[in-house]
Amino acid sequence: MDHDQFFKRLMHLFLRDFFEIFFPAWVNRFRFDQVEWVEQEVFPDPPHGEKLVVDVLAKLPVVPADPPRENEPRESVALVLIETEGSTRLADFRQRMYDYTTGAGDKLGLDVLPVAIFLNLRMEGRNTDVFERWFWERRILTFEYDYVALPGLRAEDYAHHPNPLAAAWSTLMNMERDRRALAAVEAMDVIAASPLDIERKHLLLDFIQSYAPLEEDQKRDLNELLIDPKRERTLTMKKLWSQEVREQALEEGQREFFLRLCLKKFGQLPPEDVRRKLEQMNISQIDELGVKLLTANTPQELGLAD
């Protein structure tokens, strides 16, 4: 799984939910229905500076307070920057978080709210962290950012939260080892029973499958728990999700294989042109092209090039 792309998609679909769960005091300060997703590349020192790629960068209109709050954002819109970190090297991350925040703010001329999500660090669960620079005994820079460290939160505080995102993420939180399989299944139950659309349900199932720290024996326990007749809806959803994932993988595999054959036969065929057309085709159509490829002399005969 592409970690960065996965969490980018997750935040695109669940940004307001994320704030409702972990930063409820800020929910009414932004207009989430008017979010604008910003290109994630920032350049701290253009044109020769290192290119930094931010996980999630959202431009959100700010809801003005009456009377105005202290230290209101300078503009009517602000940036929300969210970085997800899977490693445990906090020192490097702090520096990067500072660079991302200042780089994005300078590039777009807006105030930035930086938030980190830690997948493997306990820290204090939900708090603020600090990046500092010192010159001997003189502290010359203090930069603070909010963070959510999933392993440092108590799973029981979020497992029965009305928001399905909280249930899915609770599988990474602090709990007894022998409860992990049951917790994962219960999270699936919550997702299956929720009014979420199928894309959001599948994304949360992907999260549990990819990130929940289950060992082999716990995965076997999970599968046994799913057989319970009371979980027919959850098991059906999981089967449909698994089948859909397999079909998608097969279809993408067919495209890549056909692309390689085309490039081998025709040499200079532009890959981006072929890929764009193949993305509009199903497996049967690609199979038909494979047969035509045996006798075709030019890409034009396959309808893949102008």
Side-chain angles (χ1 to χ4, degrees):
M1 175 178 290
D2 186 325
H3 167 83
D4 293 336
Q5 287 300 315
F6 178 82
F7 272 91
K8 176 182 175 182
R9 185 60 182 159
L10 191 70
M11 285 296 99
H12 278 207
L13 292 178
F14 290 99
L15 182 64
R16 183 187 177 92
D17 303 80
F18 174 71
F19 272 82
E20 286 178 344
I21 296 167
F22 298 109
F23 304 99
W26 295 349
V27 169
N28 294 326
R29 298 186 183 187
F30 296 109
R31 300 190 187 279
F32 290 94
D33 60 332
Q34 298 177 30
V35 62
E36 177 185 342
W37 301 106
V38 182
E39 179 62 40
Q40 280 82 18
E41 296 179 352
V42 297
F43 300 84
D45 186 23
H48 304 297
E50 178 187 3
K51 181 173 68 174
L52 304 176
V53 182
V54 178
D55 282 355
V56 175
L57 191 59
K59 185 187 293 185
L60 287 164
V62 176
V63 179
D66 188 16
R69 304 180 186 90
E70 186 178 3
N71 300 319
E72 287 272 358
R74 293 167 295 174
E75 306 293 338
S76 60
V77 295
L79 296 172
V80 173
L81 184 153
I82 300 177
E83 278 295 303
T84 306
E85 179 62 20
S87 74
T88 57
R89 300 188 62 182
L90 190 55
D92 292 344
F93 179 81
R94 286 170 174 155
Q95 171 76 64
R96 192 165 75 248
M97 195 69 170
Y98 170 74
D99 291 341
Y100 285 2
T101 302
T102 55
D106 290 346
K107 180 179 179 181
L108 298 174
L110 296 172
D111 291 325
V112 185
L113 175 64
V115 181
I117 303 172
F118 294 118
L119 303 180
N120 296 310
L121 286 173
R122 286 179 177 268
M123 301 182 69
E124 296 181 34
R126 161 76 181 86
N127 211 323
T128 58
D129 190 40
V130 181
F131 170 67
E132 298 175 327
R133 282 182 179 162
W134 292 78
F135 194 94
W136 287 316
E137 70 275 8
R138 178 70 63 195
R139 181 168 50 194
I140 59 174
L141 172 68
T142 300
F143 165 73
E144 290 189 3
Y145 60 92
D146 284 88
Y147 71 79
V148 176
L150 296 179
L153 297 170
R154 296 196 325 152
E156 58 261 38
D157 294 339
Y158 294 88
H160 303 291
H161 193 285
N163 195 309
L165 178 67
W169 283 20
S170 72
T171 60
L172 264 70
M173 296 177 186
N174 187 24
M175 71 178 77
E176 297 289 336
R177 181 190 181 282
D178 59 5
R179 266 200 49 81
R180 289 210 170 273
L182 179 59
V185 172
E186 289 177 343
M188 292 179 182
D189 291 341
V190 171
I191 295 165
S194 74
L196 294 177
D197 59 63
I198 194 65
E199 181 182 8
R200 285 174 170 80
K201 287 183 177 182
H202 283 188
L203 199 62
L204 294 183
L205 283 175
D206 277 334
F207 178 86
I208 294 173
Q209 171 137 332
S210 301
Y211 292 96
L214 297 176
E215 299 174 10
E216 287 305 316
D217 62 320
Q218 294 169 323
K219 291 178 182 178
R220 289 193 295 270
D221 292 342
L222 183 150
N223 289 328
E224 291 178 5
L225 288 166
L226 282 171
I227 298 174
D228 189 329
K230 293 183 296 184
R231 291 196 164 89
E232 182 179 358
R233 175 170 53 185
T234 302
L235 181 60
T236 300
M237 185 188 68
K238 186 175 184 295
K239 287 180 177 178
L240 290 173
W241 166 72
S242 299
Q243 179 64 26
E244 183 173 313
V245 169
R246 285 196 297 270
E247 290 176 355
Q248 181 179 347
L250 176 61
E251 193 167 319
E252 291 176 353
Q254 288 281 89
R255 290 192 182 100
E256 291 300 321
F257 180 66
F258 183 76
L259 178 61
R260 289 197 300 271
L261 291 179
C262 287
L263 292 175
K264 185 174 182 179
K265 182 162 187 174
F266 302 126
Q268 300 301 314
L269 189 65
E272 61 274 13
D273 294 347
V274 177
R275 194 179 300 272
R276 186 172 60 250
K277 293 185 178 182
L278 289 176
E279 285 175 354
Q280 307 302 317
M281 301 180 183
N282 57 35
I283 293 178
S284 297
Q285 291 171 316
I286 296 173
D287 284 342
E288 291 178 9
L289 282 177
V291 175
K292 293 180 180 178
L293 182 63
L294 296 175
T295 56
N297 294 314
T298 65
Q300 287 77 7
E301 293 180 34
L302 297 173
L304 294 175
D306 299 327

